Amino acid sequence: MHELLDSTLLMLSGKIGRRIKVVKEYDRTLPGIPAYPAELNQVWTNLVDNAVSAMNSAGGDGTLTVRTARDHDRLLVEFRDTGVGIPAEDRGRIFDPFFTTKPVGEGTGLGLDISWRIVVNKHHGTIQVESEPGDTRFQVLLPLTAVEEESA
Ligand SMILES: Nc1ncnc2c1ncn2[C@@H]1O[C@H](COP(=O)(O)OP(=O)(O)OP(=O)(O)O)[C@@H](O)[C@H]1O
Ligand SMILES: [Mg+2]
């Protein structure tokens, strides 16, 4: 998981830029889990992309903290940003397909819809969000137990 996160962050280093500090808080004692790496890479990519946009909207400087931890029988991967935050009225809609607050031509509004499907349908996990201005956390919880083969 940490190798995957590192490679995603490296791939996105150009987009993240120099004004955003990346902090890694990895729990190195975590066990590996069965997962679909290419799909999870898509999830991490979208969460980082959204975090960068939110910090760009908040002036361009900020900190992205990527944290892993064990939560009972699940593995937590958290992306925390210091961006503008998600207004309360949008919180119920951010996972809807085509919901976007980005200018026309910039976002399709599919990132979180796809991410949700990958985490929930394909990995039997969940995504939770906590947000206030300056502190938004997307928490992906993945079961530590085997991913069932038949899921799609
Ligand atoms: N970290 C975040 N901080 C603030 N708002 C966010 C954050 N992540 C998502 N959002 C809000 O949720 C909306 C939907 O996100 P989603 O990733 O599904 O689509 P998008 O980023 O707008 O477009 P796409 O991902 O297709 O390029 C965003 O437009 C934004 O309003
Ligand atoms: Mg997005």
Side-chain angles (χ1 to χ4, degrees):
M1 192 57 70
H2 297 135
E3 278 170 39
L4 183 65
L5 287 166
D6 283 346
S7 73
T8 306
L9 289 167
L10 189 63
M11 186 182 86
L12 294 170
S13 55
K15 179 172 205 79
I16 293 169
R18 291 193 196 148
R19 294 176 64 189
I20 293 171
K21 188 181 170 198
V22 178
V23 176
K24 296 175 187 175
E25 294 177 357
Y26 294 166
D27 177 352
R28 299 281 181 187
T29 70
L30 286 172
I33 62 161
Y36 299 97
E39 274 94 344
L40 283 186
N41 180 42
Q42 251 185 286
V43 176
W44 310 151
T45 299
N46 184 56
L47 295 180
V48 171
D49 183 62
N50 288 349
V52 169
S53 300
M55 291 188 279
N56 285 339
S57 301
D61 296 307
T63 303
L64 170 67
T65 307
V66 183
R67 182 167 73 94
T68 61
R70 190 172 181 152
D71 180 71
H72 300 97
D73 56 350
R74 297 183 300 183
L75 190 155
L76 167 73
V77 183
E78 181 186 74
F79 294 80
R80 178 177 178 187
D81 71 67
T82 56
V84 286
I86 305 168
E89 65 268 25
D90 291 348
R91 265 171 229 169
R93 297 191 288 166
I94 55 171
F95 292 99
D96 292 352
F98 305 113
F99 176 79
T100 182
T101 57
K102 292 176 185 169
V104 176
E106 258 185 50
T108 61
L110 285 173
L112 286 176
D113 172 55
I114 293 165
S115 299
W116 177 272
R117 287 165 203 253
I118 291 170
V119 171
V120 176
N121 299 347
K122 215 149 181 195
H123 291 85
H124 305 292
T126 57
I127 307 185
Q128 301 168 15
V129 188
E130 283 171 21
S131 183
E132 56 185 78
D135 185 355
T136 296
R137 300 161 194 230
F138 278 81
Q139 301 179 323
V140 176
L141 287 151
L142 299 169
L144 286 164
T145 49
V147 172
E148 287 149 51
E149 286 301 329
E150 81 279 2
S151 57

